[in-house]
Amino acid sequence: MQSQSSGGSSLPNIRASMLPGFLDCSRRAAAQQWREQIQSKGYTLRKTNSSVGAAIGTAFHRSVAELLRRKQETERAGFKYQDVTEARDLGMESLIESLKHGVEWDATSKTVKDAEQHLDRFLLASVPHILGCTPEHVEIKVTAPLVDPLTGEVIAELSGHFDDLEITEFLWDWKTASREPSPQAQIGLYSLVGNACGLKIRGGGFLWLKRGSLNKPQENPITKIFDLIECERLAYRAALAAGRQYQEFEITGDIHVFPANPVSQMCSALYCSAHSTDACSFG
């Protein structure tokens, strides 16, 4: 991932977390990640609110990161009640701040109280797993250049912000969603960029907490481990495609270099800022 030369003065950033969405619809992902650049070419993009699920997930990550750091610093076998309550308070602060900016509510989380209950349920369900963790790096950002093998030029900056890299060199990605996620490309890019930065990552997977009905008990966390080599291959090809598409867009200004996917389940004005605009006629 290293190069002697750069393909331009302004490199796009390709985040690990954008790759699953890019593989589903590159135009939707581009509109989200490179909004200003697309608008500067004369296209109109709508404003879309973050989902309540994303707000809860961000808050949950804030709480989990605090507990992981305390486990890392103290090496205790368990937590004090104060540890959990203080981590919860940090998550709640994050949640309320996100909600202030406006979110799209859904049938699972209809109110602020619902969102707070989901956060509490996720945190309590995750504590047993956190107690078994041996974190070495928590919530760190890594970056590396993306080199186009055909030209030898750097065409993008790759970045990842991962949750928990264990002493065992295993990478855990924490997920909260209504449906089981598919973050293989995301985890693959974490591994590629992390290893490029000198970290040792030899395995990866996710821990998923389902955001389900509050009228039912919280389901236990589900863990899944992936073939890391396959994840890295997927991530590299997806990132290379994204970088090349952006490079062509910078030259041509043609939004169609980012192929749209009208059969995507997220092809909706609710999720996509390009939907039903001059940047995308599908809708």
Side-chain angles (χ1 to χ4, degrees), residues 81-230:
Y81 177 76
Q82 183 180 356
D83 292 324
V84 179
T85 56
E86 289 178 353
R88 175 192 182 274
D89 289 344
L90 289 172
M92 284 297 174
E93 289 176 10
S94 171
L95 178 62
I96 297 304
E97 185 62 29
S98 295
L99 298 182
K100 284 181 182 178
H101 298 288
V103 297
E104 292 291 342
W105 300 94
D106 58 31
T108 305
S109 303
K110 301 176 182 179
T111 66
V112 173
K113 183 178 179 180
D114 288 351
E116 291 175 344
Q117 283 187 262
H118 279 297
L119 177 57
D120 280 338
R121 285 157 56 109
F122 290 160
L123 185 57
L124 290 175
S126 67
V127 166
H129 180 85
I130 298 172
L131 289 173
C133 290
T134 53
E136 182 171 12
H137 298 286
V138 178
E139 289 284 339
I140 64 169
K141 181 178 180 180
V142 289
T143 62
L146 173 64
V147 177
D148 190 322
L150 297 181
T151 65
E153 294 183 340
V154 177
I155 61 172
E157 176 192 61
L158 304 175
S159 67
H161 191 112
F162 49 72
D163 300 332
D164 171 28
L165 179 59
E166 295 279 283
I167 291 174
T168 58
E169 301 175 357
F170 190 91
L171 177 67
W172 281 113
D173 191 37
W174 296 75
K175 296 294 184 185
T176 60
S178 299
R179 298 180 180 179
E180 182 173 328
S182 298
Q184 291 92 329
Q186 181 178 357
I187 290 174
L189 198 65
Y190 285 156
S191 180
L192 289 172
V193 178
N195 282 307
C197 292
L199 301 175
K200 292 183 179 180
I201 302 174
R202 302 186 186 277
F206 72 66
L207 181 143
W208 169 48
L209 287 146
K210 182 176 181 179
R211 186 169 62 93
S213 171
L214 291 170
N215 295 322
K216 298 178 181 179
Q218 174 64 44
E219 296 183 21
N220 291 328
I222 292 176
T223 58
K224 182 173 286 188
I225 297 173
F226 298 114
D227 182 328
L228 196 58
I229 293 177
E230 285 300 308

